[in-house]
Amino acid sequence: MPIHLRAEPGAYADAVLLPGDPLRARYIAETYLDDVRQVNEERGLLGYTGTFKGKPVSVQGTGIGSPGATIVFEELIQLGCTKLMRVGTCGGLQSSHHLGDLIVALSAVPADSTATHLVDNEPHCPTASWELIHGAVHAAKELGQAIHVGPIVSTDLFYNPSEGQYERWSSRGVLAVEMEAAALYTLAAKVGRRALGIMTVSDHLITKEETSAEERQTTFSEMITIALDAAIEVAARVPAASMGGAVLCTAFRSWSRTTSTRPTR
């Protein structure tokens, strides 16, 4: 039994949604899942398993930042989970994007130490799993929900003292900044699991705008629905036993330009 997730193999589903806030994990479980049972409460890291459209799905709070979150990722993998999906908020970096926009993180620049330590400081591009990217884009299209697909950056610092860094990231085409995806993608690649991050722009680091609580709740609901639909779509198409590492089709870049749309305001 792992140290921080006090559960036995089989307590968690193959697919796990990973919000940072443990109370948000409880909200997701109680709002979106059926037949819910709590499977962890150790150290306040609330975890739940239930079903969505008849398929087993779990949700597990991770806390903030890569070092602590990676403990959760590691222990979920020990417990047999094969699809790990971060859901949360991010800071927008593109002036053409808006508060409440949804971002599917194609890759995550590792501006954090955890991701680089996982590969002994060797050059590495943390990349999401193609099947989950495809599932999220397909789910968004079915819902009529516009999304942005592209690179984000994962940082160790919520309060960033580096003046001009957000603008430099923005000028290089990075869509948003958050704190966990690079480590998640790197670990998934190392151990042959699938991973994806779907985020809502809660504040804009270029325009300095911030969302209201009501706006966060609306876009949060859309994000969770897309993540759950993507998880069960992949589960239906790809058996867990055939899981490989984080794989990206090189043709995706041109394909994503036609499927990733900007919301109209």
Side-chain angles (χ1 to χ4, degrees):
M1 179 181 291
I3 296 171
H4 305 86
L5 302 184
R6 305 299 289 174
E8 298 291 343
Y12 287 88
D14 285 340
V16 187
L17 270 59
L18 300 164
D21 185 350
L23 295 181
R24 187 169 286 172
R26 175 187 291 167
Y27 173 81
I28 294 170
E30 293 177 348
T31 305
Y32 297 91
L33 303 185
D34 297 318
D35 305 317
V36 175
R37 67 185 189 278
Q38 184 170 312
V39 293
N40 189 69
E41 60 180 355
E42 186 77 10
R43 303 197 180 204
L45 294 169
L46 302 180
Y48 303 86
T49 294
T51 61
F52 180 73
K53 298 182 180 178
K55 304 293 184 181
V57 180
S58 294
V59 55
Q60 173 64 53
T62 67
I64 299 173
S66 290
T70 300
I71 294 173
V72 175
F73 306 154
E74 291 263 16
E75 294 189 0
L76 287 170
I77 290 166
Q78 292 173 24
L79 290 166
C81 301
T82 60
K83 294 179 286 294
L84 307 177
M85 302 180 67
R86 165 161 155 64
V87 290
T89 56
C90 63
L93 292 175
Q94 293 301 315
S95 58
S96 60
H97 294 179
H98 303 276
L99 295 177
D101 280 9
L102 297 184
I103 290 175
V104 173
L106 180 71
S107 59
V109 178
D112 69 312
S113 295
T114 305
T116 55
H117 283 316
L118 285 168
V119 291
D120 295 325
N121 296 309
E122 293 178 356
H124 173 68
C125 180
T127 304
S129 302
W130 162 252
E131 294 86 355
L132 290 175
I133 296 170
H134 180 274
V137 171
H138 178 75
K141 289 180 69 175
E142 289 292 312
L143 292 171
Q145 174 63 48
I147 59 173
H148 305 285
V149 180
I152 63 167
V153 60
S154 296
T155 180
D156 282 333
L157 298 171
F158 186 86
Y159 298 104
N160 189 352
S162 179
E163 186 173 349
Q165 188 170 60
Y166 294 141
E167 288 76 12
R168 293 193 297 274
W169 282 336
S170 176
S171 70
R172 297 197 289 268
V174 178
L175 303 188
V177 58
E178 53 81 75
M179 302 183 70
E180 295 88 17
L184 173 61
Y185 290 3
T186 301
L187 180 63
K190 285 189 66 176
V191 300
R193 300 295 186 269
R194 287 188 165 86
L196 180 65
I198 305 177
M199 299 107 191
T200 300
V201 178
S202 60
D203 55 310
H204 205 297
L205 300 174
I206 303 301
T207 65
K208 310 305 181 185
E209 299 171 279
E210 297 180 354
T211 53
S212 67
E214 293 78 11
E215 289 170 329
R216 285 189 186 216
Q217 190 59 45
T218 299
T219 53
F220 179 78
S221 176
E222 294 162 345
M223 173 182 64
I224 297 304
T225 301
I226 290 170
L228 288 167
D229 280 335
I232 64 173
E233 177 187 320
V234 172
R237 290 189 295 108
V238 184
S242 68
M243 292 287 173
V247 179
L248 176 66
C249 175
T250 56
F252 178 71
R253 178 174 295 179
S254 60
W255 175 81
S256 68
R257 293 195 183 106
T258 63
T259 59
S260 174
T261 58
R262 295 176 180 170
T264 55
R265 300 277 170 162

